[in-house]
Amino acid sequence: MILRHPIILLAILLSCVYPMAQDCEVKPLRCNSAYNDFAPVAYNSGLVFCSDRPIRFGVTYVDAQGNNPSKIHFTSNTNNSKSVLLDSGLASKNNEGPACFSADGKLIVYTGTIHFGKKSIENKLGLFICTNDGNGWSEPAPFEFNSADSSYSIAHPCLSKDGQYLYFSSDMENGIGGKDIYRSRRVPEGWSKPENLGPTINSDYDEVFPFIQHDGKLYFSSDRNDGAEDIDIYVAYSNGESWIDAKKLESPINSDADDFSIYLDEKGESGYFASNRNGKDDDLFQFNYKYPVFEACPPSEKPTFCYLFEETSIVQNDTLPLIFEWEFGDGSKQKDKLSVEHCFPGFGHYEIALNVYDSVTRVQFARVSEIDLDIEKSDFPFIQARDSIQTHQELVVSGLESDIKNFIIDQYFWDFGDGTRAQGEESKHSYDTPGIYTIQVGVFSKPINGEIQKRCATRTIAVGTPLELVGVTEEIPLQTEHRSIMHNDMIFVESNEKEILKHSPDSTVYYVEFKKSEIPIPLNDPYFENIKYEITERKSEKDTLYHYSVGETNKLEVLIRVYQDLVESGYKESLVKESITNDFQKQTVKQWWYIPDSLESAINKHLNKFSDIRFDYNDSRIKKESFENLEYVVYVMQKEPSLNLKIKAHTDSLGSQEHNLQLSIDRAEAVVYYLSSRGLDAGRLIPEGYGEAMPITENATDDGRAMNRRVEFEILFDTQKKPRKTGKKK
């Protein structure tokens, strides 16, 4: 069966969304002081930050520049001006902070002073790690890559959500600029050697305060702003192998002052940062995006319910007594055509097949072109809109046709691609400037298990004058589009700048299936005695049954006579089926002709005329005069690859029973070794030794003992008797 398909290229692009000023609200926190407050990070339902505010009355320590040392503070309420030290055990007369925490809050990595000396000596910073088992923080353990000779500093740590990567800023040697962003990976022995994130992130200037978002975005601060002295916040994306160019966040996050040390929640819609925009000291600010951020939105796709089904591998011939009927799996059928259109009632699973009937007997002859069709709800919303409009013309967009699986839409957010945004199920907009615009719709779900989910999609439209819009296709109404799906016997062929599906004639095989069984049926079972064709046994993974068929061909009409023969012979379950040739071959267990017991005995009797295999006395080595007989056995087995062979070796009664049994086994395996060396699969050969247990005459005379020293062959027509693998003769 061929199903024609207008191919839709679905390219999901990484798109960076940078909210504009009117979409973001920024306000200072009440926990700010008259000193420097910076590096905020959420922790334990509150906020941890750094501050150089004094912490001891009457005692003040200052660094080489005359500044108070920074400490790690905590506030449980950002609307409250009060804060406390996170832990007095982490506080010293040196600098502590900024800090970061593992996802479970049981590990802290913070910046601290490595050496504290006189004011004239520059103090270097390093990272320190503590754990918390519920009884407070452990003693700090220095990061293994802290400077050992005061030649560089490491500061501003940030852990990835899974705790596998530690990001930080450092001025260690061989960097790109003054301070660069590095990362180390967690390894069994600790942390890997720091890796510089490269020129996409780092510049000739200073890059500090990294923050890695759970979705892979890296935020950091830099003074690279075209030679300006202020610090700004940047964001970069990772494609898994490298970083995409860093972009500066827009106002009001960045300003003409220093803006740095950003922290975002998991959704990326709110967070905190530090800035000195309100004066000479650094303060903490909270931001919230009024319009949610939606990223990596795929192109909008409408659900397809109408399809064109066309069977081209069957040639409709009026001389053949055949009637065709499509069955669509939704209770409807359509007769007498090999090419039909059908619209399904909605989402669901449908089993489609082309049934073929004998027009004389009205009995079903074949069931072919079977395919399972799943029409599923999308993972993304659908944008219903025109593909093109003129400038100043009103565009109506709607999300009402969206039907997202396991998702009940609660809110719609529209972005028209020209800086205009709106909310609601439907919206209207007009464009003043010609061009190509990408419309985005984002949706929020109603709470599911207390969690609100979001999805998004995009659609591109053309805006221009009537002349500019010549050739731009208008939207096809939702319920009239016909789409095809690719059946697995189709191949792609390019033709005249469009893609079509073309049938591959050699990929389809037809056959008459006459039996299905939960267990395999032996080859010589009397059930097969009226089959005069070669029988194929297949094991299907789909239903785990054994399928028995005959007459494989790529022409359906050839099987009419075969089908009639089987039905007349009593195989009433017979039905012509279709399969992909490769699938059919992979499922095939064996093929054979039915051989009745009488013929089986005759063949074994004939083969045993060549069983005179001779050995040296008390030895398992085959004598050369036996090779001619063994060559005939090889010839027979090569002609019938579906058959197995049992080699039964016997001895006379001279010697102990144990010795004779082992000798017979060795001789049987010697025959297996010879036959397999001539190209036979050893898995088809079953060696058995009986010792002296089965004499055919008395062992009282030399002639009698010679007759008892023998090898017998038995052809196994039932290959369900599993042969055992044997090794080479030792």
Side-chain angles (χ1 to χ4, degrees), residues 17-26 249-254 269 277 287-293 413-423 429:
V17 179
Y18 304 108
M20 297 174 295
Q22 67 267 28
D23 294 316
C24 187
E25 179 184 24
V26 173
L249 296 187
E250 294 186 7
S251 172
I253 300 295
N254 282 316
E269 295 167 6
R277 64 185 65 185
F287 65 90
N288 290 280
Y289 289 128
K290 297 178 182 178
Y291 186 92
V293 177
F413 301 89
W414 297 93
D415 183 336
F416 292 98
D418 64 348
T420 305
R421 290 174 173 168
Q423 294 187 36
H429 183 62

Side-chain angles (χ1 to χ4, degrees), residues 17 90 166 336 373 403 411 609 704:
V17 179
L90 300 180
L166 175 62
D336 300 334
L373 172 62
D403 199 346
Q411 290 179 283
K609 292 179 180 178

Side-chain angles (χ1 to χ4, degrees), residues 162-192:
D162 61 5
Q164 295 304 303
Y165 287 94
L166 175 62
Y167 294 78
F168 52 84
S169 176
S170 177
D171 59 353
M172 61 180 62
E173 62 179 358
N174 299 322
I176 295 174
K179 298 181 180 69
D180 288 345
I181 306 296
Y182 292 79
R183 75 174 181 181
S184 290
R185 180 172 53 86
R186 188 183 290 277
V187 293
E189 57 272 18
W191 295 95
S192 67

Side-chain angles (χ1 to χ4, degrees), residues 112-128:
T113 303
I114 299 178
H115 302 290
F116 187 86
K118 297 179 179 179
K119 294 182 180 179
S120 60
I121 299 176
E122 183 180 2
N123 299 311
K124 294 298 180 180
L125 302 174
L127 301 184
F128 297 87

Side-chain angles (χ1 to χ4, degrees), residues 22-129:
Q22 67 267 28
D23 294 316
C24 187
E25 179 184 24
V26 173
K27 62 180 181 180
L29 299 183
R30 292 191 63 186
C31 59
N32 287 321
S33 68
Y35 296 85
N36 291 306
D37 303 301
F38 59 98
V41 56
Y43 173 71
N44 198 21
S45 301
L47 193 70
V48 165
F49 60 94
C50 286
S51 180
D52 60 2
R53 63 187 70 179
I55 60 172
R56 294 180 183 177
F57 180 78
V59 180
T60 302
Y61 295 95
V62 295
D63 62 15
Q65 288 75 39
N67 298 318
N68 295 326
S70 64
K71 300 299 172 188
I72 304 173
H73 289 253
F74 172 77
T75 179
S76 59
N77 186 349
T78 56
N79 291 320
N80 192 319
S81 59
K82 294 182 179 180
S83 68
V84 297
L85 289 177
L86 175 66
D87 190 291
S88 59
L90 300 180
S92 69
K93 62 182 180 179
N94 303 329
N95 285 295
E96 283 89 31
C100 67
F101 300 87
S102 60
D104 60 8
K106 295 181 179 180
L107 181 144
I108 183 175
V109 184
Y110 68 91
T111 307
T113 303
I114 299 178
H115 302 290
F116 187 86
K118 297 179 179 179
K119 294 182 180 179
S120 60
I121 299 176
E122 183 180 2
N123 299 311
K124 294 298 180 180
L125 302 174
L127 301 184
F128 297 87
I129 303 172

Side-chain angles (χ1 to χ4, degrees), residues 264-509:
L264 292 93
D265 65 7
E266 284 200 0
K267 292 184 178 180
E269 295 167 6
S270 65
Y272 306 92
F273 67 97
S275 176
N276 65 356
R277 64 185 65 185
N278 286 350
K280 66 176 183 178
D281 296 321
D282 299 324
D283 288 326
L284 301 175
F285 291 83
Q286 183 178 25
F287 65 90
N288 290 280
Y289 289 128
K290 297 178 182 178
Y291 186 92
V293 177
F294 296 95
E295 298 173 339
C297 305
S300 173
E301 278 196 327
K302 64 181 64 179
T304 303
F305 298 102
C306 298
Y307 293 80
L308 169 66
F309 298 92
E310 186 174 7
E311 173 56 77
T312 61
S313 59
I314 299 176
V315 178
Q316 197 157 7
N317 189 331
D318 293 337
T319 63
L320 297 176
L322 301 178
I323 298 175
F324 302 101
E325 179 185 74
W326 287 95
E327 184 178 341
F328 298 108
D330 59 358
S332 59
K333 300 178 181 180
Q334 194 166 340
K335 292 184 178 181
D336 300 334
K337 292 183 179 180
L338 291 176
S339 178
V340 297
E341 296 178 0
H342 182 70
C343 291
F344 292 90
F347 299 107
H349 175 78
Y350 301 97
E351 296 178 358
I352 298 97
L354 176 61
N355 297 315
V356 184
Y357 295 89
D358 185 326
S359 62
V360 178
T361 63
R362 299 289 175 171
V363 174
Q364 185 175 7
F365 156 67
R367 183 178 177 87
V368 296
S369 301
E370 295 180 279
I371 187 171
D372 290 336
L373 172 62
D374 288 298
I375 305 179
E376 297 181 332
K377 295 181 180 181
S378 173
D379 286 324
F380 306 98
F382 170 63
I383 301 174
Q384 194 170 24
R386 301 177 61 181
D387 291 321
S388 63
I389 60 167
Q390 299 178 32
T391 52
H392 307 295
Q393 182 182 2
E394 187 176 70
L395 172 71
V396 179
V397 294
S398 173
L400 290 173
E401 293 291 345
S402 301
D403 199 346
I404 308 173
K405 58 186 177 183
N406 302 321
F407 193 102
I408 302 175
I409 298 176
D410 187 45
Q411 290 179 283
Y412 294 81
F413 301 89
W414 297 93
D415 183 336
F416 292 98
D418 64 348
T420 305
R421 290 174 173 168
Q423 294 187 36
E425 297 173 337
E426 295 182 328
S427 188
K428 299 177 181 179
H429 183 62
S430 62
Y431 295 88
D432 298 330
T433 306
I436 303 298
Y437 294 88
T438 299
I439 300 173
Q440 174 186 279
V441 64
V443 294
F444 278 3
S445 72
K446 291 185 177 180
I448 301 174
N449 297 325
E451 180 181 355
I452 295 176
Q453 300 180 15
K454 62 180 184 179
R455 301 281 192 277
C456 61
T458 61
R459 180 167 185 153
T460 301
I461 67 164
V463 178
T465 65
L467 183 61
E468 291 170 329
L469 296 176
V470 171
V472 178
T473 305
E474 288 291 313
E475 180 196 17
I476 301 173
L478 179 65
Q479 292 299 330
T480 61
E481 180 184 6
H482 284 77
R483 182 187 296 179
S484 302
I485 56 177
M486 186 174 68
H487 195 24
N488 47 10
D489 60 344
M490 305 298 134
I491 57 174
F492 283 109
V493 177
E494 290 189 5
S495 174
N496 299 326
E497 300 182 352
K498 64 179 181 180
E499 289 180 300
I500 63 173
L501 288 177
K502 185 178 180 181
H503 184 258
S504 177
D506 296 333
S507 66
T508 302
V509 58

Side-chain angles (χ1 to χ4, degrees), residues 593-653:
W593 294 82
Y594 171 70
I595 300 174
D597 290 342
S598 57
L599 183 56
E600 179 180 336
S601 299
I603 293 175
N604 273 315
K605 184 176 180 180
H606 170 75
L607 189 64
N608 275 295
K609 292 179 180 178
F610 300 89
S611 65
D612 184 17
I613 310 303
R614 304 192 175 220
F615 302 88
D616 286 329
Y617 173 73
N618 200 30
D619 200 340
S620 59
R621 285 178 291 183
I622 303 172
K623 289 189 172 184
K624 291 184 178 179
E625 57 262 33
S626 303
F627 291 171
E628 185 176 352
N629 286 345
L630 289 174
E631 287 299 317
Y632 181 77
V633 174
V634 171
Y635 169 78
V636 171
M637 295 297 291
Q638 287 176 336
K639 286 293 184 181
E640 296 294 339
S642 66
L643 302 179
N644 292 338
L645 180 68
K646 182 182 290 186
I647 299 102
K648 300 185 288 188
H650 305 266
T651 67
D652 58 28
S653 61

Side-chain angles (χ1 to χ4, degrees), residues 228-242:
E229 294 183 357
D230 60 305
I231 301 173
D232 291 309
I233 300 173
Y234 292 78
V235 62
Y237 287 74
S238 172
N239 61 11
E241 297 180 357
S242 60

